[in-house]
Amino acid sequence: MNHNNLRWLTWLAAAVIGVTLSVTLAVSATYVYLQPSLPTVEAMRSAELQVPLRIYSRSGQLIAQIGEQRRIPIAYDDIPDQIKQAFIAAEDDRFFEHGGFDYQGILRSAMVNLVKGSRAQGASTITMQTARNMFLSQDRTWRRKLQEVFLTYRLEKEFSKAEILGLYLNGISFGKRAYGIAAAAETYFGKTVDQLTLAEAATLARVPQA
């Protein structure tokens, strides 16, 4: 190896190290700045879902619900597998494989949007949507997007995939003031989640995208 090649490789290695250190410092500084605005793990685990006042007749029939949001919290184990599979297929088919950020999905989304010339396809994973819908605002600012990145990492580190999917299915909006799969099943089909057919589960899985 001649002297010029050695000098070029030395310069390249120094540049790579410099860029890596700069990025690491920038990410660390950003996290330190945003950390006070992020919910703690304890706060996330104790997050309460807003449940409306439900009024029943003497025979046990639901007459009315009073509140801005219709919610019927349901345990993860009580959600049928076909519902879980329908949402994973519709929203994040590599949910159990990635660590919160699906880089394959991001690349695929970028290619589709480039070909179509518009933002036709998003790349948010279920974990990212959970972080945004459950614990952050819907503001489209760089600050909120960075908060989402750090919170997504925290969710994947501190929660199991089942816990994350349970939070997602209980917190996502389906329109008509219905939040969570149980409220959506009741609102759109007048059923409990265990009564939904596969076609109905697939239909509900597409509602949030609309």
Side-chain angles (χ1 to χ4, degrees):
M1 182 180 293
N2 60 43
H3 181 69
N4 288 335
N5 286 340
L6 180 60
R7 184 167 58 181
W8 185 85
L9 288 175
T10 301
W11 178 88
L12 180 62
V16 170
I17 293 173
V19 170
T20 301
L21 288 175
S22 297
V23 171
T24 301
L25 287 173
V27 171
S28 299
T30 303
Y31 176 77
V32 170
Y33 172 71
L34 292 177
Q35 198 275 336
S37 68
L38 300 177
T40 64
V41 174
E42 293 74 18
M44 289 192 291
R45 289 194 178 280
S46 61
E48 296 183 0
L49 299 176
Q50 180 183 348
V51 179
L53 174 65
R54 300 166 68 87
I55 302 174
Y56 294 88
S57 66
R58 289 186 178 181
S59 61
Q61 182 178 0
L62 179 65
I63 299 175
Q65 298 187 73
I66 301 175
E68 293 183 3
Q69 301 177 356
R70 299 175 181 174
R71 292 185 187 269
I72 308 173
I74 184 171
Y76 177 82
D77 291 338
D78 293 333
I79 302 174
D81 287 341
Q82 67 177 12
I83 291 178
K84 300 171 187 173
Q85 293 164 3
F87 276 85
I88 289 173
E91 293 288 341
D92 186 359
D93 58 359
R94 298 184 65 253
F95 173 67
F96 286 103
E97 300 171 29
H98 61 66
F101 306 96
D102 185 4
Y103 300 106
Q104 291 184 26
I106 292 172
L107 180 60
R108 182 175 63 244
S109 173
M111 292 298 294
V112 171
N113 294 338
L114 181 63
V115 170
K116 294 189 175 182
S118 63
R119 196 176 185 280
Q121 187 177 103
S124 290
T125 63
I126 283 177
T127 311
M128 294 169 70
Q129 292 182 57
T130 301
R132 180 170 62 246
N133 295 331
M134 292 292 296
F135 307 109
L136 299 173
S137 70
Q138 298 297 317
D139 295 340
R140 295 188 176 185
T141 62
W142 280 108
R143 176 185 174 87
R144 203 277 297 154
K145 290 180 183 297
L146 289 170
Q147 288 175 317
E148 182 180 316
V149 169
F150 290 123
L151 198 55
T152 295
Y153 175 78
R154 182 176 291 180
L155 279 168
E156 287 283 344
K157 182 180 179 181
E158 302 292 343
F159 289 71
S160 68
K161 286 290 189 178
E163 290 174 321
I164 294 171
L165 185 56
L167 282 171
Y168 171 80
L169 290 174
N170 271 295
I172 194 167
S173 170
F174 288 87
K176 296 186 177 181
R177 298 190 297 120
Y179 287 78
I181 185 61
E186 181 182 89
T187 299
Y188 287 95
F189 297 109
K191 296 181 177 182
T192 57
V193 291
D194 58 305
Q195 296 173 329
L196 291 175
T197 65
L198 180 58
E200 290 167 343
T203 298
L204 290 179
R206 295 295 180 181
V207 170
Q209 296 179 0

